[in-house]
């Protein structure tokens, strides 16, 4: 069955190779895939990106958008970008860790102290540098979408301090650094696929998970969770990336249109995100889930040895220090 799914995905992607629509004027159509639902602010931001691209190009460029993991998981979409079978995708920075080590820094708990610092990092020289360090791996970044702060939610036990996580299986992204974070907090990491998490929570295969509030509600996890612990341990941005093969096919004008559309969409998506985050928190309250705002200090203290360990590694030291000094 697995072989069949892989074969089917590859067949679909062959059909989705970049091309032009013929008519009164040629239109370059780029295929974009991501894993979130059409109700998510990220998808709505990408729809806005397509609208801006069509406006800027006078109809000469557009996007075909495939949400809800139609063309595979985030890792699979990255691999499709690498071989040129997909043009653009949206992935979490955590999914890029397996390709570019420096992206692990975003997964370090409490490496950034505030949302203001987070945006200064993304929108400044650090963010710009990280968008291009992926080029040796056959893709490059276009922009960062907001993905908020990630917190824990559980089905059977309230969490007030890291020790409360002991003995619990918590779903994390398929990221080595996320698994290391759970060990630092005293819990057990369970890298369940996102599409299988609702059932895993419902059947007690896992005791909880961690994510941002809009992802919790758009995936209906608030239907099975009992506690939402707003400890905000990481801020991992979403990254819009494009295949190097596609980028090389674009002329300078097309690149400028696409980059401007992505930049404009970033501003729009961040506003949508702020609204959706408030709405999602209200949905969680309306479901009767207990919302806990724990003292973050014990979590920050538990994370410090992990940060110091990575600062001892010359691969990460300069980047971590630059982030911590961005205030």
């Amino acid at each position: 069955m697995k072989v069949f799914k892989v074969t089917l995905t590859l067949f679909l992607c062959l059909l989705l190779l970049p091309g032009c629509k013929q008519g009164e004027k040629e239109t370059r159509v780029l295929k974009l895939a991501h894993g979130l639902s059409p109700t998510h602010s990220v998808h709505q931001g990408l729809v806005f990106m397509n609208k801006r691209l069509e406006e800027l190009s006078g109809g000469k460029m557009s996007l075909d958008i495939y949400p809800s993991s139609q063309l595979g998981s985030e890792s699979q979409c990255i691999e499709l970008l690498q071989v040129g079978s997909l043009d653009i995708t949206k992935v979490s920075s955590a999914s890029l860790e397996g390709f570019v080590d420096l992206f692990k820094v975003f997964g370090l708990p409490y490496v950034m102290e505030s949302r203001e610092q987070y945006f200064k990092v993304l929108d400044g020289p650090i963010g710009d540098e990280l968008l291009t360090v992926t080029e040796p791996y056959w893709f490059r970044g276009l922009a960062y979408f907001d993905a908020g702060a990630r917190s824990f939610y559980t089905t059977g036990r309230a969490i007030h301090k890291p020790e409360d996580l002991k003995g619990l299986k918590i779903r994390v992204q398929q990221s080595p650094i996320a698994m290391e974070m759970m060990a630092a907090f005293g819990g057990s990491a369970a890298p369940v696929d996102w599409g299988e998490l609702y059932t895993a929570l419902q059947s007690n295969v896992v005791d909880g998970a961690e994510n941002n509030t809009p992802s919790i509600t758009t995936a209906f996890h608030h239907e099975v969770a009992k506690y939402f612990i707003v400890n905000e341990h990481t801020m991992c941005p979403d990254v819009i990336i494009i295949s190097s093969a596609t980028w090389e096919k674009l002329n300078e004008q097309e690149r400028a249109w696409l980059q401007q559309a992505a930049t404009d969409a970033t501003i729009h998506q961040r506003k949508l995100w702020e609204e959706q985050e408030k709405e999602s928190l209200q949905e969680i309250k309306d479901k009767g889930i207990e919302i806990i705002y724990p003292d973050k200090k014990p979590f920050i203290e538990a994370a410090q040895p992990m940060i110091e360990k990575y600062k001892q590694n010359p691969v990460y030291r300069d980047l971590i220090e630059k982030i911590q000094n961005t205030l």
Side-chain angles (χ1 to χ4, degrees):
M1 185 67 177
K2 185 175 180 181
V3 173
F4 172 76
K5 288 181 178 179
V6 172
T7 304
L8 180 59
T9 299
L10 289 173
F11 174 73
L12 286 171
C13 290
L14 286 172
L15 295 177
L16 297 174
L17 289 172
C20 294
K21 292 180 180 177
Q22 298 297 322
E24 292 183 6
K25 55 186 175 182
E26 290 186 343
T27 301
R28 187 184 292 278
V29 182
L30 303 181
K31 311 301 178 182
L32 187 158
H34 67 91
L36 297 172
S37 75
T39 60
H40 201 286
S41 69
V42 165
H43 177 79
Q44 293 164 15
L46 293 170
V47 170
F48 181 86
M49 179 176 166
N50 179 46
K51 179 182 177 183
R52 285 295 293 138
L53 182 60
E54 291 179 341
E55 290 172 351
L56 290 165
S57 69
K60 294 179 180 179
M61 291 184 74
S62 68
L63 304 173
D64 274 352
I65 304 173
Y66 297 82
S68 306
S69 301
Q70 291 180 50
L71 300 185
S73 67
E74 290 196 345
S75 293
Q76 289 170 329
C77 284
I78 295 172
E79 291 167 358
L80 290 171
L81 251 66
Q82 290 180 306
V83 298
S85 294
L86 180 65
D87 298 309
I88 303 173
T89 188
K90 186 290 305 175
V91 295
S92 168
S93 63
S95 293
L96 293 173
E97 292 175 18
F99 299 86
V100 184
D101 282 341
L102 286 177
F103 276 93
K104 289 181 179 177
V105 172
F106 285 122
L108 290 173
Y110 302 107
V111 71
M112 288 179 278
E113 298 178 2
S114 67
R115 297 278 285 161
E116 291 76 19
Q117 182 182 9
Y118 167 71
F119 287 125
K120 283 182 180 179
V121 168
L122 296 183
D123 298 337
I126 298 172
D128 290 343
E129 178 185 348
L130 288 171
L131 289 177
T132 58
V133 295
T134 61
E135 289 179 339
Y137 305 93
W138 305 293
F139 59 89
R140 59 178 287 139
L142 290 172
Y144 298 100
F145 274 12
D146 191 7
R150 300 176 73 90
S151 295
F152 293 113
Y153 53 105
T154 56
T155 57
R157 183 192 298 177
I159 307 299
H160 296 275
K161 55 189 182 300
E163 291 80 2
D164 295 334
L165 288 160
K166 187 175 181 179
L168 296 187
K169 293 174 291 185
I170 305 295
R171 185 270 178 184
V172 297
Q173 297 180 90
Q174 295 192 21
S175 147
I177 204 162
M179 297 181 195
E180 193 173 343
M181 176 191 73
M182 284 310 307
F185 287 154
S188 299
V192 176
D193 285 343
W194 178 248
E196 299 172 2
L197 181 53
Y198 184 99
T199 302
L201 289 164
Q202 190 177 43
S203 59
N204 298 317
V205 170
V206 295
D207 302 297
E210 53 87 46
N211 215 317
N212 52 61
T213 48
S215 292
I216 294 169
T217 55
T218 56
F220 303 104
H221 295 169
H222 60 314
E223 294 181 348
V224 289
K226 293 182 181 178
Y227 304 98
F228 180 42
I229 302 91
V230 189
N231 67 310
E232 300 179 319
H233 46 265
T234 54
M235 288 179 277
C236 299
D238 280 338
V239 190
I240 312 302
I241 57 177
I242 183 170
S243 167
S244 294
T246 301
W247 187 255
E248 291 302 318
K249 291 176 183 177
L250 303 181
N251 60 42
E252 289 301 316
Q253 180 63 77
E254 290 172 326
R255 291 178 183 180
W257 287 331
L258 183 60
Q259 184 61 67
Q260 187 63 54
T263 301
D264 293 348
T266 296
I267 298 169
H268 182 72
Q269 185 270 339
R270 290 180 185 180
K271 292 177 182 177
L272 293 177
W273 178 272
E274 187 176 358
E275 295 168 4
Q276 191 169 38
E277 204 166 35
K278 292 176 183 176
E279 293 169 359
S280 295
L281 186 60
Q282 188 60 50
E283 284 184 54
I284 289 172
K285 289 179 180 177
D286 292 344
K287 276 290 180 181
I289 292 172
E290 183 178 342
I291 300 176
I292 300 167
Y293 293 90
D295 180 3
K296 292 183 184 179
K297 187 176 179 181
F299 290 93
I300 293 171
E301 290 174 349
Q304 282 309 303
M306 184 175 170
I307 293 175
E308 290 305 316
K309 170 191 166 184
Y310 276 85
K311 285 178 77 171
Q312 297 306 311
N313 187 325
V315 173
Y316 308 103
R317 183 188 304 122
D318 288 348
L319 181 56
I320 292 172
E321 290 179 348
K322 285 179 183 178
I323 289 173
Q324 291 180 326
N325 290 329
T326 302
L327 299 173

